[in-house]
Amino acid sequence: MTTKRYVILGIVAVFGICLGRLAVRALMNLLLGGTLFGGNFL
C-alpha cells in the first residue's frame, strides 16, 4: 500500500511542477506582452 501511495504522490508532484512552470511562464508572458500561444491574440 505504501508503494502505491508513493507512486501516486510522485505522479501528482510531476503534474504540479509542470503546471507551476506553465503558470509562471503564462504570467511572465502577460506581464511582458509576449506571445504564449504563437501569435498576438489581443
Side-chain angles (χ1 to χ4, degrees), residues 9 20 30 32 36 41:
L9 192 67
L30 267 172
L32 298 173
L36 182 66
F41 58 93

Side-chain angles (χ1 to χ4, degrees), residues 17-38:
I17 290 169
C18 288
L19 284 177
R21 286 177 56 93
L22 193 66
V24 168
R25 187 172 152 207
L27 183 67
M28 289 302 290
N29 239 309
L30 267 172
L31 288 175
L32 298 173
T35 55
L36 182 66
F37 303 107

Side-chain angles (χ1 to χ4, degrees), residues 1 3-5 10 25 28 36 39-40 42:
M1 179 169 172
T3 306
K4 190 175 177 184
R5 183 179 291 175
R25 187 172 152 207
M28 289 302 290
L36 182 66
N40 196 356
L42 291 176

Side-chain angles (χ1 to χ4, degrees), residues 1-14:
M1 179 169 172
T2 53
T3 306
K4 190 175 177 184
R5 183 179 291 175
Y6 282 129
V7 169
I8 291 173
L9 192 67
I11 292 172
V12 169
V14 168

